[in-house]
mmCIF file of all heavy atoms in Angstrom:
data_model
loop_
_atom_site.group_PDB
_atom_site.id
_atom_site.type_symbol
_atom_site.label_atom_id
_atom_site.label_comp_id
_atom_site.label_asym_id
_atom_site.label_seq_id
_atom_site.Cartn_x
_atom_site.Cartn_y
_atom_site.Cartn_z
ATOM 1 N N LEU A 512 93.191 86.100 109.617
ATOM 2 C CA LEU A 512 93.690 87.211 110.413
ATOM 3 C C LEU A 512 93.009 87.100 111.771
ATOM 4 O O LEU A 512 91.781 87.073 111.833
ATOM 5 C CB LEU A 512 93.356 88.558 109.779
ATOM 6 C CG LEU A 512 93.683 88.755 108.285
ATOM 7 C CD1 LEU A 512 93.218 90.131 107.827
ATOM 8 C CD2 LEU A 512 95.180 88.602 108.043
ATOM 9 N N LEU A 513 93.801 87.060 112.812
ATOM 10 C CA LEU A 513 93.232 86.768 114.134
ATOM 11 C C LEU A 513 92.778 88.051 114.820
ATOM 12 O O LEU A 513 93.239 89.146 114.524
ATOM 13 C CB LEU A 513 94.254 86.023 114.989
ATOM 14 C CG LEU A 513 94.826 84.750 114.361
ATOM 15 C CD1 LEU A 513 95.813 84.082 115.305
ATOM 16 C CD2 LEU A 513 93.725 83.774 113.951
ATOM 17 N N GLY A 514 91.854 87.850 115.770
ATOM 18 C CA GLY A 514 91.375 88.994 116.532
ATOM 19 C C GLY A 514 89.894 88.851 116.828
ATOM 20 O O GLY A 514 89.219 87.973 116.270
ATOM 21 N N PRO A 515 89.384 89.720 117.720
ATOM 22 C CA PRO A 515 87.977 89.632 118.102
ATOM 23 C C PRO A 515 87.057 89.953 116.925
ATOM 24 O O PRO A 515 87.185 90.999 116.304
ATOM 25 C CB PRO A 515 87.835 90.665 119.222
ATOM 26 C CG PRO A 515 88.986 91.608 119.034
ATOM 27 C CD PRO A 515 90.089 90.804 118.422
ATOM 28 N N SER A 516 86.119 89.053 116.622
ATOM 29 C CA SER A 516 85.295 89.212 115.417
ATOM 30 C C SER A 516 84.092 88.287 115.474
ATOM 31 O O SER A 516 84.035 87.358 116.290
ATOM 32 C CB SER A 516 86.134 88.886 114.174
ATOM 33 O OG SER A 516 86.696 87.586 114.285
ATOM 34 N N GLU A 517 83.183 88.549 114.557
ATOM 35 C CA GLU A 517 82.005 87.704 114.420
ATOM 36 C C GLU A 517 81.694 87.591 112.938
ATOM 37 O O GLU A 517 81.672 88.587 112.226
ATOM 38 C CB GLU A 517 80.832 88.369 115.147
ATOM 39 C CG GLU A 517 79.557 87.556 115.101
ATOM 40 C CD GLU A 517 78.410 88.285 115.808
ATOM 41 O OE1 GLU A 517 78.635 89.019 116.789
ATOM 42 O OE2 GLU A 517 77.259 88.114 115.340
ATOM 43 N N VAL A 518 81.492 86.359 112.455
ATOM 44 C CA VAL A 518 81.194 86.190 111.036
ATOM 45 C C VAL A 518 79.835 85.495 110.898
ATOM 46 O O VAL A 518 79.550 84.536 111.611
ATOM 47 C CB VAL A 518 82.315 85.410 110.307
ATOM 48 C CG1 VAL A 518 82.602 84.072 110.948
ATOM 49 C CG2 VAL A 518 82.005 85.222 108.832
ATOM 50 N N LYS A 519 79.037 86.013 109.969
ATOM 51 C CA LYS A 519 77.734 85.403 109.681
ATOM 52 C C LYS A 519 77.688 85.163 108.191
ATOM 53 O O LYS A 519 77.728 86.108 107.395
ATOM 54 C CB LYS A 519 76.604 86.379 110.023
ATOM 55 C CG LYS A 519 76.079 86.243 111.420
ATOM 56 C CD LYS A 519 74.803 87.063 111.604
ATOM 57 C CE LYS A 519 74.397 86.913 113.038
ATOM 58 N NZ LYS A 519 73.825 87.882 113.747
ATOM 59 N N THR A 520 77.611 83.896 107.780
ATOM 60 C CA THR A 520 77.591 83.596 106.361
ATOM 61 C C THR A 520 76.836 82.300 106.138
ATOM 62 O O THR A 520 76.188 81.791 107.052
ATOM 63 C CB THR A 520 79.041 83.552 105.808
ATOM 64 O OG1 THR A 520 79.017 83.445 104.392
ATOM 65 C CG2 THR A 520 79.861 82.425 106.390
ATOM 66 N N ASN A 521 76.898 81.802 104.888
ATOM 67 C CA ASN A 521 76.291 80.507 104.575
ATOM 68 C C ASN A 521 77.355 79.533 104.136
ATOM 69 O O ASN A 521 78.234 79.896 103.343
ATOM 70 C CB ASN A 521 75.299 80.678 103.419
ATOM 71 C CG ASN A 521 73.984 81.243 103.897
ATOM 72 O OD1 ASN A 521 73.247 80.590 104.635
ATOM 73 N ND2 ASN A 521 73.706 82.463 103.516
ATOM 74 N N ILE A 522 77.265 78.307 104.649
ATOM 75 C CA ILE A 522 78.131 77.247 104.143
ATOM 76 C C ILE A 522 77.230 76.049 103.847
ATOM 77 O O ILE A 522 76.329 75.757 104.660
ATOM 78 C CB ILE A 522 79.216 76.885 105.161
ATOM 79 C CG1 ILE A 522 80.104 78.107 105.392
ATOM 80 C CG2 ILE A 522 80.060 75.706 104.676
ATOM 81 C CD1 ILE A 522 81.246 77.885 106.340
ATOM 82 N N ASN A 523 77.454 75.421 102.717
ATOM 83 C CA ASN A 523 76.587 74.329 102.256
ATOM 84 C C ASN A 523 75.123 74.780 102.226
ATOM 85 O O ASN A 523 74.209 74.004 102.516
ATOM 86 C CB ASN A 523 76.720 73.109 103.180
ATOM 87 C CG ASN A 523 78.156 72.595 103.246
ATOM 88 O OD1 ASN A 523 78.845 72.587 102.237
ATOM 89 N ND2 ASN A 523 78.592 72.185 104.437
ATOM 90 N N GLY A 524 74.923 76.039 101.946
ATOM 91 C CA GLY A 524 73.547 76.560 101.826
ATOM 92 C C GLY A 524 72.865 76.799 103.157
ATOM 93 O O GLY A 524 71.685 77.158 103.199
ATOM 94 N N LYS A 525 73.582 76.636 104.274
ATOM 95 C CA LYS A 525 72.954 76.836 105.593
ATOM 96 C C LYS A 525 73.647 77.977 106.329
ATOM 97 O O LYS A 525 74.861 78.122 106.243
ATOM 98 C CB LYS A 525 73.099 75.563 106.440
ATOM 99 C CG LYS A 525 72.330 74.388 105.898
ATOM 100 C CD LYS A 525 72.581 73.175 106.782
ATOM 101 C CE LYS A 525 71.891 71.952 106.207
ATOM 102 N NZ LYS A 525 72.250 70.735 106.951
ATOM 103 N N PRO A 526 72.877 78.751 107.098
ATOM 104 C CA PRO A 526 73.502 79.840 107.840
ATOM 105 C C PRO A 526 74.468 79.336 108.927
ATOM 106 O O PRO A 526 74.182 78.333 109.584
ATOM 107 C CB PRO A 526 72.311 80.576 108.466
ATOM 108 C CG PRO A 526 71.087 79.812 108.149
ATOM 109 C CD PRO A 526 71.425 78.683 107.241
ATOM 110 N N VAL A 527 75.563 80.050 109.061
ATOM 111 C CA VAL A 527 76.583 79.732 110.080
ATOM 112 C C VAL A 527 76.984 81.048 110.743
ATOM 113 O O VAL A 527 77.224 82.046 110.063
ATOM 114 C CB VAL A 527 77.860 79.112 109.445
ATOM 115 C CG1 VAL A 527 78.920 78.853 110.496
ATOM 116 C CG2 VAL A 527 77.536 77.827 108.685
ATOM 117 N N THR A 528 77.084 81.040 112.046
ATOM 118 C CA THR A 528 77.664 82.175 112.781
ATOM 119 C C THR A 528 78.844 81.659 113.601
ATOM 120 O O THR A 528 78.733 80.618 114.257
ATOM 121 C CB THR A 528 76.625 82.784 113.755
ATOM 122 O OG1 THR A 528 75.499 83.199 113.003
ATOM 123 C CG2 THR A 528 77.193 83.996 114.476
ATOM 124 N N VAL A 529 79.949 82.370 113.523
ATOM 125 C CA VAL A 529 81.096 82.056 114.400
ATOM 126 C C VAL A 529 81.504 83.333 115.121
ATOM 127 O O VAL A 529 81.715 84.377 114.486
ATOM 128 C CB VAL A 529 82.302 81.490 113.637
ATOM 129 C CG1 VAL A 529 83.416 81.133 114.605
ATOM 130 C CG2 VAL A 529 81.925 80.279 112.811
ATOM 131 N N ILE A 530 81.573 83.246 116.432
ATOM 132 C CA ILE A 530 82.065 84.377 117.233
ATOM 133 C C ILE A 530 83.465 84.002 117.730
ATOM 134 O O ILE A 530 83.643 82.931 118.320
ATOM 135 C CB ILE A 530 81.119 84.643 118.420
ATOM 136 C CG1 ILE A 530 79.735 85.050 117.901
ATOM 137 C CG2 ILE A 530 81.684 85.732 119.340
ATOM 138 C CD1 ILE A 530 78.657 85.053 118.963
#
Side-chain angles (χ1 to χ4, degrees):
L512 310 177
L513 305 182
S516 55
E517 181 181 328
V518 56
K519 269 191 183 146
T520 188
N521 280 293
I522 297 182
N523 301 321
K525 294 178 184 173
V527 177
T528 302
V529 182
I530 297 168

